[in-house]
Amino acid sequence: MTGNSGFDRRALFKGGIAATAVGALTTWGAAPATAAPRRAAEPVIYGTDLWGARPPDQPIEVLDHKPTYIVVHHTVEPGNTEDYSRERAFQISRDIQTFHMDTRGWGDSGQQFTNSRGGHITEGRHRSLEVLRGGTQHVLGANVGNHNSEVVGIENEGLYTDVDVPQALWDSLVNLVAYMADQYGITTDFIKGHRDFNSTECPGEVLYGRLPELREAVAASLGVQARQPVEWPLLRQGDTGEQVREAQRLLRARGEKVSVDGVFGPATRSAVRSFADANGVSTATCYASAHTDERGLLGADIWPLLTDGADRQAVKQRLARIG
Ligand SMILES: [Zn+2]
């Protein structure tokens, strides 16, 4: 836990002591006695008409149900600019749309929303803003392989494997996710990173590592308690330890040729690729993953196949303990 949430907890605790003195009960980490669930304000979101989007060349599909998950991505390309202007946000929105339409052959931008390093939020796929405001439907996008009917995705401009996001991006991400969670009644444990669905680095180790803090911040702005999910770990070449050993045991049990030494080297990577190919695991589909060769990562879409027939929840819990 870093940054603002630690401060907020201390402030709450002090408030709790004061409230106890006048007879109200409060507990560590709980919302203040006076807090009640509240609505999140709609942040400024620039619609497709404002940033110069091309019209979609395939029909926009609006599903008659709410999305289940809010998913955080990073764009990787074009890297970490220091241009924090609104015009830059509009430019990257156009660039992503062009890539998705002309290179990927999709009818429009894959993500529903984009958040720039300057904290400017734009609508991605057409109609996403209008449908979010309605709060009952979902614009089908293309940003999480095999889960697009369940997820509403936010592309965050930049590469966050080693460095942190700018404060402006963070603040607007909190505001946007809080608004989405409120509109759709999505609880904070359903705020996810792309890697919680596909074997991908997205949204980068640093931004992914801040998701617990994002859930805390969103919960605080909605006046509710944060819920934190347990997720499958993402393993890649270079990793060592008990989680790798467990992965190697499971791969061997499925017939892959790898020794159980706790070292994720080239042989383990080959075994993961071979297992993924044999089981038809498709590659991730977001803007970031299109720019990186991510084959051989062992993530959230491969663990369930490796543990088929086992008590998956128990395995997941154990992996989290030994990680
Ligand atoms: Zn992604």
Side-chain angles (χ1 to χ4, degrees):
M1 207 61 54
T2 58
N4 292 334
S5 69
F7 176 79
D8 289 342
R9 275 173 178 272
R10 285 191 297 277
L12 277 179
F13 188 54
K14 284 182 189 160
I17 291 169
T20 305
V22 294
L25 289 176
T26 186
T27 52
W28 172 261
T34 51
R38 54 185 172 265
R39 302 308 303 265
E42 182 182 320
V44 174
I45 302 172
Y46 298 99
T48 45
D49 52 330
L50 296 175
W51 54 262
R54 289 153 59 182
D57 62 16
Q58 292 166 28
I60 299 296
E61 199 173 337
V62 179
L63 305 176
D64 214 10
H65 62 77
K66 302 176 186 186
T68 307
Y69 304 100
I70 298 165
V71 176
V72 174
H73 302 269
H74 67 166
T75 62
V76 174
E77 294 290 337
N80 294 342
T81 176
E82 291 183 13
D83 181 352
Y84 302 121
S85 68
R86 192 176 65 175
E87 184 42 50
R88 165 71 182 193
F90 289 5
Q91 183 64 50
I92 187 164
S93 301
R94 290 190 292 267
D95 291 348
I96 293 175
Q97 189 196 30
T98 297
F99 177 76
H100 283 164
M101 292 179 72
D102 295 351
T103 305
R104 304 301 295 268
W106 299 343
D108 196 358
S109 302
Q111 78 283 11
Q112 285 85 356
F113 296 96
T114 311
N115 183 22
S116 78
R117 282 174 57 82
H120 303 286
I121 303 168
T122 57
E123 179 183 36
R125 185 157 291 204
H126 283 78
R127 299 197 60 194
S128 295
L129 179 53
E130 158 214 334
V131 166
L132 173 61
R133 282 177 177 149
T136 60
Q137 293 177 304
H138 174 47
V139 170
L140 181 66
N143 54 86
V144 176
N146 298 319
H147 295 276
N148 283 304
S149 64
E150 305 153 48
V151 304
V152 54
I154 304 164
E155 283 284 0
N156 292 280
E157 179 193 13
L159 170 64
Y160 302 112
T161 48
D162 298 310
V163 299
D164 205 350
V165 298
Q167 190 64 40
L169 182 150
W170 177 259
D171 292 341
S172 57
L173 179 62
V174 170
N175 292 338
L176 176 59
V177 173
Y179 177 63
M180 292 164 114
D182 188 25
Q183 285 300 96
Y184 287 128
I186 293 175
T187 55
T188 54
D189 46 340
F190 288 78
I191 298 168
K192 304 278 191 180
H194 185 181
R195 70 169 65 169
D196 295 324
F197 298 91
N198 300 146
S199 292
T200 174
E201 292 284 352
C202 183
E205 199 68 14
V206 177
L207 181 52
Y208 185 77
R210 291 189 72 181
L211 291 188
E213 186 187 349
L214 177 63
R215 296 185 191 103
E216 294 275 356
V218 167
S221 82
L222 295 174
V224 299
Q225 286 277 10
R227 295 197 215 171
Q228 303 288 355
V230 177
E231 306 288 3
W232 294 110
L234 177 70
L235 302 181
R236 79 282 276 169
Q237 191 165 333
D239 286 344
T240 58
E242 283 308 307
Q243 290 181 335
V244 174
R245 206 178 290 275
E246 183 65 26
Q248 289 168 332
R249 269 189 218 109
L250 291 165
L251 285 162
R252 273 185 80 90
R254 303 281 158 180
E256 298 298 334
K257 290 174 183 55
V258 64
S259 51
V260 181
D261 59 4
V263 178
F264 197 130
T268 304
R269 182 171 187 262
S270 298
V272 170
R273 281 187 62 168
S274 155
F275 179 79
D277 291 347
N279 285 275
V281 175
S282 52
T283 52
T285 51
C286 78
Y287 190 71
S289 48
H291 290 83
T292 332
D293 178 9
E294 301 202 296
R295 291 171 300 170
L297 292 179
L298 199 179
D301 48 3
I302 296 176
W303 286 109
L305 299 168
L306 281 174
T307 53
D308 191 25
D311 180 345
R312 289 193 179 117
Q313 212 50 36
V315 178
K316 195 193 268 187
Q317 300 274 359
R318 182 155 44 86
L319 285 165
R321 266 200 314 278
I322 64 179

